[in-house]
Amino acid sequence: MHPTITAFESSPDRGRGQARDMRVRWALEEVGQPYNVRLVSFKAMKEPAHIVLHPFGQIPTYEDGTLTLFESGAIVLHIAERHAGLLPDDANARSRAIAWMFAALSTLEPPVVELGMAMLFERDRSWYAERLPMLQDRVRVRLGELSRRLGAADWLDGAFSAGDLMMVTVLRRLHTSGLLDEYPDIAAYVARGEARPAFRRAFDAQLAVFTAASRS
Ligand code: GTB
């Protein structure tokens, strides 16, 4: 039996691969693990059958045999630990790759999401024009630091790892902000991630859900 993940039945991003099932799909594609997808509506996500899988009534979840997981970071780490290809064999390098996963989720993602939410939901607020530059600057600080660390390298620490996978999925959320244009090396890093065949397969799979839903 293949693992089953959950994803939006109708993603608000219209198939742009911004929802967090994308990182789980990408990880599964990188390691060559086939998977099933159960699509859930916003209503179903808040019902007991889903809450038992995810206490906060969200996607993605992951079910494999007797194991049920929620939180995209925990799911990607689980996949990376059980398959070759996303974490180095060397113990120290492995820990550093995991540190980059945490950095993506706890240092980069909060200001990136804060900016994205403001741009989506706060545009008509009186204080938007004043708040926007502050939110942009918080992201710029992290992009500058990341750019310095990345230098001329292709990936954050040696070969592509789950740390890069997580970082690229977080940085992709900046596509509509224009901020990636200010950091050509970071933009190129994101483009390298998006060019990976496993990324393309994962992206196409989630886009197919949106395309099918918009036809029906
Ligand atoms: N920390 C959790 C994780 O990493 O798994 C966060 C999970 C989460 O935020 N899930 C969202 C969800 O289920 C979907 S990904 N939301 C429904 C709810 O909370 O009721 C967040 C997301 C949604 C939509 C877009 N978009 O349209 O661009 C981008 C990201």
Tab-separated table of all heavy atoms in Angstrom, residues 88-117:
chain	number	residue	atom	x	y	z
A	88	PRO	N	21.839	13.649	3.575
A	88	PRO	CA	23.154	13.033	3.388
A	88	PRO	C	23.364	11.853	4.335
A	88	PRO	O	22.723	11.768	5.387
A	88	PRO	CB	24.131	14.164	3.747
A	88	PRO	CG	23.335	15.402	3.899
A	88	PRO	CD	21.909	15.029	4.091
A	89	ASP	N	24.278	10.961	3.960
A	89	ASP	CA	24.604	9.816	4.831
A	89	ASP	C	25.424	10.249	6.039
A	89	ASP	O	25.258	9.736	7.136
A	89	ASP	CB	25.401	8.767	4.036
A	89	ASP	CG	24.512	8.106	2.989
A	89	ASP	OD1	23.279	8.080	3.183
A	89	ASP	OD2	25.067	7.640	1.974
A	90	ASP	N	26.347	11.190	5.825
A	90	ASP	CA	27.207	11.656	6.914
A	90	ASP	C	26.338	12.286	8.021
A	90	ASP	O	25.489	13.146	7.741
A	90	ASP	CB	28.192	12.703	6.357
A	90	ASP	CG	29.000	13.343	7.468
A	90	ASP	OD1	29.943	12.694	7.947
A	90	ASP	OD2	28.659	14.487	7.874
A	91	ALA	N	26.568	11.851	9.268
A	91	ALA	CA	25.678	12.256	10.378
A	91	ALA	C	25.656	13.772	10.576
A	91	ALA	O	24.581	14.365	10.801
A	91	ALA	CB	26.102	11.545	11.656
A	92	ASN	N	26.817	14.420	10.498
A	92	ASN	CA	26.833	15.867	10.727
A	92	ASN	C	26.141	16.618	9.585
A	92	ASN	O	25.391	17.565	9.818
A	92	ASN	CB	28.279	16.375	10.867
A	92	ASN	CG	28.875	15.991	12.217
A	92	ASN	OD1	28.168	15.488	13.090
A	92	ASN	ND2	30.165	16.220	12.381
A	93	ALA	N	26.409	16.155	8.361
A	93	ALA	CA	25.779	16.804	7.198
A	93	ALA	C	24.258	16.612	7.256
A	93	ALA	O	23.483	17.509	6.897
A	93	ALA	CB	26.353	16.230	5.903
A	94	ARG	N	23.844	15.459	7.744
A	94	ARG	CA	22.407	15.162	7.888
A	94	ARG	C	21.766	16.137	8.891
A	94	ARG	O	20.713	16.705	8.630
A	94	ARG	CB	22.319	13.715	8.417
A	94	ARG	CG	21.046	13.005	8.168
A	94	ARG	CD	21.226	11.560	8.643
A	94	ARG	NE	20.006	10.826	8.550
A	94	ARG	CZ	19.615	10.162	7.464
A	94	ARG	NH1	20.368	10.121	6.391
A	94	ARG	NH2	18.473	9.522	7.454
A	95	SER	N	22.442	16.332	10.002
A	95	SER	CA	21.905	17.272	11.004
A	95	SER	C	21.847	18.685	10.439
A	95	SER	O	20.904	19.438	10.719
A	95	SER	CB	22.763	17.254	12.275
A	95	SER	OG	22.655	15.997	12.889
A	96	ARG	N	22.869	19.051	9.634
A	96	ARG	CA	22.853	20.411	9.058
A	96	ARG	C	21.703	20.562	8.058
A	96	ARG	O	21.059	21.609	7.999
A	96	ARG	CB	24.193	20.731	8.384
A	96	ARG	CG	25.352	20.924	9.363
A	96	ARG	CD	26.524	21.629	8.696
A	96	ARG	NE	26.994	20.945	7.500
A	96	ARG	CZ	27.908	19.973	7.483
A	96	ARG	NH1	28.463	19.563	8.609
A	96	ARG	NH2	28.265	19.410	6.344
A	97	ALA	N	21.425	19.515	7.286
A	97	ALA	CA	20.311	19.581	6.331
A	97	ALA	C	18.988	19.753	7.092
A	97	ALA	O	18.105	20.524	6.670
A	97	ALA	CB	20.281	18.319	5.470
A	98	ILE	N	18.873	19.060	8.220
A	98	ILE	CA	17.648	19.181	9.031
A	98	ILE	C	17.557	20.590	9.623
A	98	ILE	O	16.477	21.190	9.701
A	98	ILE	CB	17.601	18.082	10.112
A	98	ILE	CG1	17.455	16.707	9.425
A	98	ILE	CG2	16.464	18.313	11.095
A	98	ILE	CD1	17.647	15.501	10.339
A	99	ALA	N	18.732	21.148	9.998
A	99	ALA	CA	18.737	22.533	10.507
A	99	ALA	C	18.201	23.497	9.448
A	99	ALA	O	17.449	24.429	9.752
A	99	ALA	CB	20.146	22.932	10.926
A	100	TRP	N	18.543	23.256	8.167
A	100	TRP	CA	18.027	24.121	7.091
A	100	TRP	C	16.517	23.953	6.935
A	100	TRP	O	15.808	24.913	6.600
A	100	TRP	CB	18.754	23.847	5.774
A	100	TRP	CG	20.073	24.562	5.691
A	100	TRP	CD1	21.316	24.010	5.615
A	100	TRP	CD2	20.262	25.997	5.681
A	100	TRP	NE1	22.274	25.005	5.562
A	100	TRP	CE2	21.657	26.222	5.599
A	100	TRP	CE3	19.400	27.094	5.736
A	100	TRP	CZ2	22.201	27.508	5.574
A	100	TRP	CZ3	19.940	28.373	5.720
A	100	TRP	CH2	21.318	28.569	5.635
A	101	MET	N	16.013	22.741	7.175
A	101	MET	CA	14.552	22.562	7.139
A	101	MET	C	13.894	23.436	8.211
A	101	MET	O	12.906	24.122	7.954
A	101	MET	CB	14.170	21.103	7.418
A	101	MET	CG	14.547	20.122	6.337
A	101	MET	SD	14.001	18.447	6.777
A	101	MET	CE	12.219	18.633	6.700
A	102	PHE	N	14.472	23.399	9.414
A	102	PHE	CA	13.915	24.207	10.502
A	102	PHE	C	14.061	25.695	10.192
A	102	PHE	O	13.168	26.495	10.492
A	102	PHE	CB	14.601	23.875	11.832
A	102	PHE	CG	14.037	22.655	12.508
A	102	PHE	CD1	14.463	21.383	12.166
A	102	PHE	CD2	13.061	22.781	13.491
A	102	PHE	CE1	13.939	20.257	12.776
A	102	PHE	CE2	12.525	21.661	14.114
A	102	PHE	CZ	12.964	20.389	13.756
A	103	ALA	N	15.202	26.059	9.600
A	103	ALA	CA	15.413	27.476	9.260
A	103	ALA	C	14.344	27.947	8.278
A	103	ALA	O	13.793	29.040	8.412
A	103	ALA	CB	16.807	27.656	8.658
A	104	ALA	N	14.053	27.094	7.296
A	104	ALA	CA	13.030	27.457	6.309
A	104	ALA	C	11.687	27.677	7.008
A	104	ALA	O	10.987	28.661	6.744
A	104	ALA	CB	12.911	26.356	5.251
A	105	LEU	N	11.342	26.763	7.918
A	105	LEU	CA	10.014	26.795	8.528
A	105	LEU	C	9.883	27.801	9.655
A	105	LEU	O	8.815	28.371	9.854
A	105	LEU	CB	9.659	25.403	9.063
A	105	LEU	CG	9.505	24.325	7.989
A	105	LEU	CD1	9.242	22.961	8.612
A	105	LEU	CD2	8.371	24.696	7.040
A	106	SER	N	10.977	28.022	10.411
A	106	SER	CA	10.800	28.879	11.584
A	106	SER	C	11.487	30.232	11.466
A	106	SER	O	11.154	31.153	12.205
A	106	SER	CB	11.231	28.157	12.864
A	106	SER	OG	12.589	27.837	12.799
A	107	THR	N	12.432	30.386	10.526
A	107	THR	CA	13.080	31.698	10.386
A	107	THR	C	12.610	32.423	9.125
A	107	THR	O	12.397	33.623	9.144
A	107	THR	CB	14.624	31.537	10.370
A	107	THR	OG1	15.016	30.866	11.578
A	107	THR	CG2	15.330	32.866	10.309
A	108	LEU	N	12.436	31.686	8.032
A	108	LEU	CA	12.026	32.323	6.770
A	108	LEU	C	10.500	32.388	6.616
A	108	LEU	O	9.941	33.407	6.217
A	108	LEU	CB	12.615	31.557	5.576
A	108	LEU	CG	14.001	31.941	5.042
A	108	LEU	CD1	13.956	33.304	4.360
A	108	LEU	CD2	15.072	31.918	6.102
A	109	GLU	N	9.841	31.256	6.906
A	109	GLU	CA	8.413	31.190	6.564
A	109	GLU	C	7.554	32.232	7.301
A	109	GLU	O	6.678	32.846	6.660
A	109	GLU	CB	7.851	29.777	6.778
A	109	GLU	CG	6.476	29.602	6.155
A	109	GLU	CD	6.085	28.140	5.941
A	109	GLU	OE1	6.060	27.360	6.904
A	109	GLU	OE2	5.799	27.784	4.790
A	110	PRO	N	7.798	32.492	8.606
A	110	PRO	CA	6.901	33.466	9.269
A	110	PRO	C	6.869	34.845	8.592
A	110	PRO	O	5.779	35.328	8.251
A	110	PRO	CB	7.425	33.495	10.714
A	110	PRO	CG	8.020	32.128	10.901
A	110	PRO	CD	8.671	31.797	9.573
A	111	PRO	N	8.033	35.504	8.340
A	111	PRO	CA	7.911	36.814	7.671
A	111	PRO	C	7.391	36.724	6.239
A	111	PRO	O	6.705	37.635	5.768
A	111	PRO	CB	9.346	37.370	7.712
A	111	PRO	CG	10.237	36.216	7.964
A	111	PRO	CD	9.435	35.216	8.726
A	112	VAL	N	7.682	35.620	5.561
A	112	VAL	CA	7.187	35.453	4.184
A	112	VAL	C	5.656	35.336	4.185
A	112	VAL	O	4.961	35.969	3.383
A	112	VAL	CB	7.852	34.219	3.512
A	112	VAL	CG1	7.138	33.831	2.227
A	112	VAL	CG2	9.332	34.492	3.239
A	113	VAL	N	5.135	34.540	5.105
A	113	VAL	CA	3.681	34.351	5.177
A	113	VAL	C	3.003	35.651	5.630
A	113	VAL	O	1.958	36.047	5.102
A	113	VAL	CB	3.334	33.176	6.116
A	113	VAL	CG1	1.840	33.149	6.456
A	113	VAL	CG2	3.746	31.857	5.471
A	114	GLU	N	3.620	36.329	6.588
A	114	GLU	CA	3.051	37.591	7.094
A	114	GLU	C	2.895	38.597	5.949
A	114	GLU	O	1.863	39.253	5.805
A	114	GLU	CB	3.999	38.143	8.173
A	114	GLU	CG	3.459	39.314	8.963
A	114	GLU	CD	2.470	38.900	10.048
A	114	GLU	OE1	2.292	37.696	10.270
A	114	GLU	OE2	1.857	39.805	10.641
A	115	LEU	N	3.934	38.683	5.115
A	115	LEU	CA	3.873	39.595	3.967
A	115	LEU	C	2.784	39.143	2.986
A	115	LEU	O	1.985	39.962	2.512
A	115	LEU	CB	5.246	39.637	3.262
A	115	LEU	CG	5.289	40.400	1.935
A	115	LEU	CD1	4.985	41.888	2.152
A	115	LEU	CD2	6.662	40.237	1.257
A	116	GLY	N	2.755	37.850	2.697
A	116	GLY	CA	1.774	37.330	1.737
A	116	GLY	C	0.344	37.576	2.210
A	116	GLY	O	-0.526	37.969	1.423
A	117	MET	N	0.107	37.357	3.494
A	117	MET	CA	-1.250	37.547	4.039
A	117	MET	C	-1.645	39.019	3.946
A	117	MET	O	-2.783	39.341	3.597
A	117	MET	CB	-1.305	37.103	5.511
A	117	MET	CG	-1.007	35.637	5.706
A	117	MET	SD	-2.236	34.585	4.941
A	117	MET	CE	-3.274	34.263	6.309
